[in-house]
Amino acid sequence: MSSLPLSTAQSQFQPRLAQRRFWGAVFMVICWLLSLVSLAVLVSLLVHVWNEGGSWLSLKLLTNYASVLNPREAGLKSALWGTIWLAVLTAIFSITIGIGAAVYLEEFAARNRFTRFIHLNIANLAGVPSIVYGILGLALFVRWCRYDESVLSGALTLTLLILPVIIIAAREALAAVPSSLRQAALALGATRWQTVWHHVLPAALPGIMTGIILAISRAIGETAPLIMVGAVGYIRSVPESLRSPFTALPIQIFDWTGRPQSEFHHLAAAGILVLLGVLLTMNALAAGIRAWQQRSKVQ
Amino acid sequence: MNPPELLPRPTLRVDTNDSSPRPESAPEDAPIRVCDFSLAYGTFQAIKQVSLTIPAREVTAIIGPSGCGKSTLLRSMNRMNDFVSTVRTEGEILYRNVNIYANDCDPVELRRRVGMVFQRPNPFPKSIFKNVAWGARINGYRGNLNELVEESLQKAALWDEVKDKLHQNALTLSGGQQQRLCIARSIALQPEVLLMDEPCSALDPIATSRIEDLIDQLKSQYTVVLVTHNMQQAARVSDRTVFMLMGELVEVDRTSVIFTKPKEQRTQDYISGRFG
Ligand SMILES: Nc1ncnc2c1ncn2[C@@H]1O[C@H](COP(=O)(O)OP(=O)(O)O)[C@@H](O)[C@H]1O
Ligand SMILES: [Mg+2]
């Protein structure tokens, strides 16, 4: 870097460039180290789980039912299918209700004391521990609605759990859509609904999608609320209807880690790898949809 | 006053309440008449008892220092102020002798007939074709959409530049082209009045002069209300000029009169650049 010619007039500025650059570099190194720490934690966790369960990964694991007596033949077919059922049902319920509520609150509702009260409560609900939702699900869906200890009760409970997160994420995505877009549509004689449906929602969709995927990823990793609504650790069937009994991957993993034989601990590690696989698949799917959205927008 | 045939919708009923003051020399066919109209944002009075007639197929310019209420008055003419929750209005604005602030006036139908072009070009992030066709489609247009799009783009002097890329995203156009696209989008609804809020303020001089030429052509078919902070622009393109100051209408007259021998001292001061 060649230094610039000094101006002849006496300057009131003291740039102290060397010092500022030094602190910039220090800060960069700190940030780099910190991101390294989080990466190291993740990698060591993965390596550990892989060492424990990698050799236990097999097709048998996915196609066999659980077995209490014979760990070598045990699989997590019911848990895998239970998790898929839960994810799909929870997605259907929470996406419709969540986007609907967010659109109403952000685009239609008047900004008065009542809606402010609702906003505040949704934010509070997002921080409620998941076990509390489990108790609510037990009282509401299992007992009161008489859905029993079914995959439907489980999905509805998970829906309650992630709805606040989805509503908040969707509202933020909607609020980030510039108001000039709304005005453009309204000035062309569009109704509010046409404005939202044709312009505001599509513009907010990538943000909404991200929120939904994160929330559902959280939901399928949940254990406590599902135990409350009666997911069972040992079951030798896959759900066939909304009212079928069910289990899920985290529950199966939890069950296996609690058993004394060490073979089951290896199975649990393999189960964790399967769960991570499911999560990664979902995230990849979301990334794919976003990329596709982006592409269709530009062409 | 009879309901004009152009208003078949029952939602825009003729206002029979004749008690409010009306400008006396108003030509009966004036598409918009502002009668003793006031508007407040909360407690702040932004428009103070303005009365004004917008004659058909002329360009009316609204000038005045920034913050004097030009945009507010313009937005009042197609009720785009409805979306500001603190707004309170008094008085009337008549569109074809119908009070648009009456309870039974449907602002959705009004906005199709009184279109608006904004300060910053705001095309939809969709194709050029869809930008023009969308408004017509949602308003139940039954003619040929391809023809409508071509015709509208031609009237907006944009057709030759975009005819080979109608399905390209509108955001790839330049700022001046985007603004002409927004004008085309409004024209496609076959409105009667076009409200333009400083449509050139985000554009370079060449794009500006193209829009000015366009406005000059548009007035053969449409009534144009043009807000501008640029007095030369008002002098160049408008037939009549309205001068506003602090929410009040100070003077309205033929543009040549306003710029040569205004009646009000305040207008004189503003024109000669003594303030604002
Ligand atoms: N949404 C709003 N809420 C409160 N005050 C507003 C709002 N919009 C405009 N105003 C105020 O009303 C006055 C007139 O604004 P505007 O019509 O935009 O002026 P102009 O277009 O002449 O520059 C300004 O003092 C402005 O601060
Ligand atoms: Mg303005």
Side-chain angles (χ1 to χ4, degrees), chain A residues 166-193:
Chain A
I166 289 188
I167 294 175
I168 291 172
R171 280 195 61 210
E172 271 163 14
L174 289 168
V177 175
S179 63
S180 61
L181 190 65
R182 294 182 183 82
Q183 296 200 342
L186 291 164
L188 292 173
T191 60
R192 278 203 174 203
W193 167 246

mmCIF file of all heavy atoms in Angstrom, chain A residues 166-193:
data_model
loop_
_atom_site.group_PDB
_atom_site.id
_atom_site.type_symbol
_atom_site.label_atom_id
_atom_site.label_comp_id
_atom_site.label_asym_id
_atom_site.label_seq_id
_atom_site.Cartn_x
_atom_site.Cartn_y
_atom_site.Cartn_z
ATOM 1 N N ILE A 166 -43.553 -20.651 14.160
ATOM 2 C CA ILE A 166 -43.908 -20.462 12.746
ATOM 3 C C ILE A 166 -44.611 -19.124 12.536
ATOM 4 O O ILE A 166 -44.331 -18.390 11.589
ATOM 5 C CB ILE A 166 -44.787 -21.624 12.255
ATOM 6 C CG1 ILE A 166 -43.933 -22.885 12.147
ATOM 7 C CG2 ILE A 166 -45.438 -21.298 10.922
ATOM 8 C CD1 ILE A 166 -44.618 -24.052 11.509
ATOM 9 N N ILE A 167 -45.524 -18.794 13.443
ATOM 10 C CA ILE A 167 -46.251 -17.525 13.285
ATOM 11 C C ILE A 167 -45.277 -16.348 13.348
ATOM 12 O O ILE A 167 -45.337 -15.425 12.529
ATOM 13 C CB ILE A 167 -47.347 -17.385 14.365
ATOM 14 C CG1 ILE A 167 -48.417 -18.446 14.156
ATOM 15 C CG2 ILE A 167 -47.964 -15.990 14.323
ATOM 16 C CD1 ILE A 167 -49.467 -18.471 15.226
ATOM 17 N N ILE A 168 -44.354 -16.398 14.301
ATOM 18 C CA ILE A 168 -43.404 -15.283 14.430
ATOM 19 C C ILE A 168 -42.531 -15.176 13.187
ATOM 20 O O ILE A 168 -42.349 -14.087 12.623
ATOM 21 C CB ILE A 168 -42.541 -15.461 15.701
ATOM 22 C CG1 ILE A 168 -43.417 -15.267 16.943
ATOM 23 C CG2 ILE A 168 -41.384 -14.474 15.702
ATOM 24 C CD1 ILE A 168 -42.732 -15.612 18.243
ATOM 25 N N ALA A 169 -42.018 -16.328 12.719
ATOM 26 C CA ALA A 169 -41.152 -16.299 11.532
ATOM 27 C C ALA A 169 -41.931 -15.786 10.319
ATOM 28 O O ALA A 169 -41.431 -14.959 9.548
ATOM 29 C CB ALA A 169 -40.592 -17.691 11.255
ATOM 30 N N ALA A 170 -43.168 -16.260 10.166
ATOM 31 C CA ALA A 170 -43.958 -15.852 8.998
ATOM 32 C C ALA A 170 -44.307 -14.367 9.080
ATOM 33 O O ALA A 170 -44.276 -13.653 8.076
ATOM 34 C CB ALA A 170 -45.230 -16.694 8.909
ATOM 35 N N ARG A 171 -44.617 -13.884 10.283
ATOM 36 C CA ARG A 171 -44.931 -12.460 10.411
ATOM 37 C C ARG A 171 -43.726 -11.608 10.063
ATOM 38 O O ARG A 171 -43.844 -10.583 9.394
ATOM 39 C CB ARG A 171 -45.353 -12.149 11.848
ATOM 40 C CG ARG A 171 -46.781 -12.501 12.142
ATOM 41 C CD ARG A 171 -47.221 -11.841 13.404
ATOM 42 N NE ARG A 171 -47.130 -10.400 13.293
ATOM 43 C CZ ARG A 171 -46.890 -9.589 14.316
ATOM 44 N NH1 ARG A 171 -46.712 -10.067 15.522
ATOM 45 N NH2 ARG A 171 -46.839 -8.296 14.130
ATOM 46 N N GLU A 172 -42.543 -12.057 10.519
ATOM 47 C CA GLU A 172 -41.357 -11.272 10.196
ATOM 48 C C GLU A 172 -41.104 -11.255 8.690
ATOM 49 O O GLU A 172 -40.748 -10.230 8.120
ATOM 50 C CB GLU A 172 -40.147 -11.813 10.957
ATOM 51 C CG GLU A 172 -40.019 -11.140 12.310
ATOM 52 C CD GLU A 172 -39.113 -11.891 13.264
ATOM 53 O OE1 GLU A 172 -38.377 -12.772 12.807
ATOM 54 O OE2 GLU A 172 -39.179 -11.595 14.468
ATOM 55 N N ALA A 173 -41.309 -12.405 8.069
ATOM 56 C CA ALA A 173 -41.106 -12.464 6.613
ATOM 57 C C ALA A 173 -42.104 -11.556 5.897
ATOM 58 O O ALA A 173 -41.758 -10.853 4.948
ATOM 59 C CB ALA A 173 -41.233 -13.900 6.126
ATOM 60 N N LEU A 174 -43.352 -11.523 6.374
ATOM 61 C CA LEU A 174 -44.363 -10.664 5.744
ATOM 62 C C LEU A 174 -44.043 -9.193 5.976
ATOM 63 O O LEU A 174 -44.179 -8.362 5.072
ATOM 64 C CB LEU A 174 -45.748 -10.982 6.307
ATOM 65 C CG LEU A 174 -46.361 -12.310 5.884
ATOM 66 C CD1 LEU A 174 -47.586 -12.630 6.720
ATOM 67 C CD2 LEU A 174 -46.728 -12.277 4.411
ATOM 68 N N ALA A 175 -43.588 -8.875 7.190
ATOM 69 C CA ALA A 175 -43.297 -7.478 7.505
ATOM 70 C C ALA A 175 -42.120 -6.968 6.685
ATOM 71 O O ALA A 175 -42.003 -5.770 6.439
ATOM 72 C CB ALA A 175 -43.012 -7.328 8.999
ATOM 73 N N ALA A 176 -41.240 -7.893 6.251
ATOM 74 C CA ALA A 176 -40.069 -7.476 5.482
ATOM 75 C C ALA A 176 -40.414 -7.178 4.023
ATOM 76 O O ALA A 176 -39.597 -6.630 3.298
ATOM 77 C CB ALA A 176 -38.983 -8.554 5.555
ATOM 78 N N VAL A 177 -41.617 -7.523 3.593
ATOM 79 C CA VAL A 177 -42.011 -7.221 2.214
ATOM 80 C C VAL A 177 -42.270 -5.714 2.116
ATOM 81 O O VAL A 177 -43.033 -5.166 2.908
ATOM 82 C CB VAL A 177 -43.285 -7.996 1.826
ATOM 83 C CG1 VAL A 177 -43.762 -7.596 0.442
ATOM 84 C CG2 VAL A 177 -43.025 -9.491 1.881
ATOM 85 N N PRO A 178 -41.606 -5.024 1.187
ATOM 86 C CA PRO A 178 -41.750 -3.565 1.130
ATOM 87 C C PRO A 178 -43.201 -3.140 0.876
ATOM 88 O O PRO A 178 -43.901 -3.778 0.089
ATOM 89 C CB PRO A 178 -40.843 -3.142 -0.025
ATOM 90 C CG PRO A 178 -40.543 -4.384 -0.775
ATOM 91 C CD PRO A 178 -40.701 -5.532 0.160
ATOM 92 N N SER A 179 -43.625 -2.063 1.543
ATOM 93 C CA SER A 179 -45.025 -1.655 1.406
ATOM 94 C C SER A 179 -45.297 -1.089 0.019
ATOM 95 O O SER A 179 -46.448 -1.017 -0.409
ATOM 96 C CB SER A 179 -45.378 -0.631 2.477
ATOM 97 O OG SER A 179 -44.598 0.513 2.288
ATOM 98 N N SER A 180 -44.233 -0.726 -0.718
ATOM 99 C CA SER A 180 -44.465 -0.221 -2.078
ATOM 100 C C SER A 180 -45.089 -1.306 -2.950
ATOM 101 O O SER A 180 -45.838 -1.001 -3.878
ATOM 102 C CB SER A 180 -43.152 0.257 -2.687
ATOM 103 O OG SER A 180 -42.229 -0.796 -2.772
ATOM 104 N N LEU A 181 -44.796 -2.566 -2.639
ATOM 105 C CA LEU A 181 -45.379 -3.666 -3.404
ATOM 106 C C LEU A 181 -46.889 -3.744 -3.151
ATOM 107 O O LEU A 181 -47.685 -3.905 -4.073
ATOM 108 C CB LEU A 181 -44.705 -4.974 -3.001
ATOM 109 C CG LEU A 181 -45.018 -6.189 -3.852
ATOM 110 C CD1 LEU A 181 -44.493 -5.999 -5.261
ATOM 111 C CD2 LEU A 181 -44.428 -7.442 -3.239
ATOM 112 N N ARG A 182 -47.271 -3.596 -1.882
ATOM 113 C CA ARG A 182 -48.701 -3.619 -1.552
ATOM 114 C C ARG A 182 -49.412 -2.451 -2.217
ATOM 115 O O ARG A 182 -50.482 -2.588 -2.794
ATOM 116 C CB ARG A 182 -48.903 -3.530 -0.043
ATOM 117 C CG ARG A 182 -48.389 -4.727 0.706
ATOM 118 C CD ARG A 182 -48.673 -4.580 2.195
ATOM 119 N NE ARG A 182 -48.111 -5.688 2.932
ATOM 120 C CZ ARG A 182 -46.842 -5.768 3.309
ATOM 121 N NH1 ARG A 182 -46.017 -4.784 3.049
ATOM 122 N NH2 ARG A 182 -46.393 -6.827 3.954
ATOM 123 N N GLN A 183 -48.781 -1.262 -2.133
ATOM 124 C CA GLN A 183 -49.420 -0.082 -2.703
ATOM 125 C C GLN A 183 -49.600 -0.216 -4.197
ATOM 126 O O GLN A 183 -50.615 0.186 -4.744
ATOM 127 C CB GLN A 183 -48.575 1.156 -2.397
ATOM 128 C CG GLN A 183 -48.499 1.423 -0.910
ATOM 129 C CD GLN A 183 -48.098 2.837 -0.606
ATOM 130 O OE1 GLN A 183 -47.559 3.531 -1.463
ATOM 131 N NE2 GLN A 183 -48.364 3.271 0.600
ATOM 132 N N ALA A 184 -48.582 -0.812 -4.861
ATOM 133 C CA ALA A 184 -48.676 -1.000 -6.305
ATOM 134 C C ALA A 184 -49.925 -1.811 -6.641
ATOM 135 O O ALA A 184 -50.685 -1.461 -7.543
ATOM 136 C CB ALA A 184 -47.423 -1.703 -6.825
ATOM 137 N N ALA A 185 -50.131 -2.890 -5.908
ATOM 138 C CA ALA A 185 -51.275 -3.759 -6.207
ATOM 139 C C ALA A 185 -52.591 -3.071 -5.854
ATOM 140 O O ALA A 185 -53.539 -3.081 -6.644
ATOM 141 C CB ALA A 185 -51.140 -5.077 -5.449
ATOM 142 N N LEU A 186 -52.623 -2.438 -4.675
ATOM 143 C CA LEU A 186 -53.874 -1.812 -4.248
ATOM 144 C C LEU A 186 -54.280 -0.687 -5.191
ATOM 145 O O LEU A 186 -55.467 -0.493 -5.476
ATOM 146 C CB LEU A 186 -53.723 -1.278 -2.820
ATOM 147 C CG LEU A 186 -53.593 -2.360 -1.747
ATOM 148 C CD1 LEU A 186 -53.060 -1.773 -0.460
ATOM 149 C CD2 LEU A 186 -54.929 -3.039 -1.526
ATOM 150 N N ALA A 187 -53.287 0.053 -5.700
ATOM 151 C CA ALA A 187 -53.598 1.168 -6.594
ATOM 152 C C ALA A 187 -54.138 0.684 -7.932
ATOM 153 O O ALA A 187 -54.637 1.475 -8.721
ATOM 154 C CB ALA A 187 -52.353 2.034 -6.812
ATOM 155 N N LEU A 188 -53.983 -0.623 -8.212
ATOM 156 C CA LEU A 188 -54.544 -1.162 -9.449
ATOM 157 C C LEU A 188 -55.942 -1.731 -9.222
ATOM 158 O O LEU A 188 -56.439 -2.519 -10.024
ATOM 159 C CB LEU A 188 -53.635 -2.254 -10.009
ATOM 160 C CG LEU A 188 -52.278 -1.787 -10.530
ATOM 161 C CD1 LEU A 188 -51.419 -2.969 -10.896
ATOM 162 C CD2 LEU A 188 -52.462 -0.884 -11.733
ATOM 163 N N GLY A 189 -56.547 -1.378 -8.101
ATOM 164 C CA GLY A 189 -57.894 -1.872 -7.856
ATOM 165 C C GLY A 189 -57.923 -3.307 -7.382
ATOM 166 O O GLY A 189 -58.883 -4.027 -7.632
ATOM 167 N N ALA A 190 -56.860 -3.750 -6.704
ATOM 168 C CA ALA A 190 -56.866 -5.088 -6.118
ATOM 169 C C ALA A 190 -57.466 -5.009 -4.725
ATOM 170 O O ALA A 190 -57.336 -3.994 -4.043
ATOM 171 C CB ALA A 190 -55.450 -5.641 -6.043
ATOM 172 N N THR A 191 -58.117 -6.086 -4.314
ATOM 173 C CA THR A 191 -58.558 -6.149 -2.929
ATOM 174 C C THR A 191 -57.352 -6.510 -2.067
ATOM 175 O O THR A 191 -56.313 -6.906 -2.572
ATOM 176 C CB THR A 191 -59.638 -7.221 -2.728
ATOM 177 O OG1 THR A 191 -59.075 -8.479 -3.094
ATOM 178 C CG2 THR A 191 -60.848 -6.947 -3.589
ATOM 179 N N ARG A 192 -57.509 -6.373 -0.763
ATOM 180 C CA ARG A 192 -56.410 -6.728 0.122
ATOM 181 C C ARG A 192 -56.017 -8.179 -0.065
ATOM 182 O O ARG A 192 -54.849 -8.530 -0.077
ATOM 183 C CB ARG A 192 -56.824 -6.514 1.571
ATOM 184 C CG ARG A 192 -56.699 -5.101 1.971
ATOM 185 C CD ARG A 192 -56.569 -5.010 3.463
ATOM 186 N NE ARG A 192 -56.306 -3.640 3.806
ATOM 187 C CZ ARG A 192 -55.717 -3.263 4.926
ATOM 188 N NH1 ARG A 192 -55.342 -4.165 5.797
ATOM 189 N NH2 ARG A 192 -55.500 -1.998 5.163
ATOM 190 N N TRP A 193 -57.040 -9.032 -0.197
ATOM 191 C CA TRP A 193 -56.770 -10.452 -0.336
ATOM 192 C C TRP A 193 -55.970 -10.729 -1.615
ATOM 193 O O TRP A 193 -54.988 -11.473 -1.595
ATOM 194 C CB TRP A 193 -58.081 -11.239 -0.315
ATOM 195 C CG TRP A 193 -57.880 -12.639 -0.761
ATOM 196 C CD1 TRP A 193 -58.364 -13.227 -1.876
ATOM 197 C CD2 TRP A 193 -57.078 -13.634 -0.096
ATOM 198 N NE1 TRP A 193 -57.917 -14.516 -1.957
ATOM 199 C CE2 TRP A 193 -57.125 -14.792 -0.874
ATOM 200 C CE3 TRP A 193 -56.304 -13.635 1.075
ATOM 201 C CZ2 TRP A 193 -56.449 -15.951 -0.532
ATOM 202 C CZ3 TRP A 193 -55.625 -14.795 1.417
ATOM 203 C CH2 TRP A 193 -55.711 -15.935 0.631
#
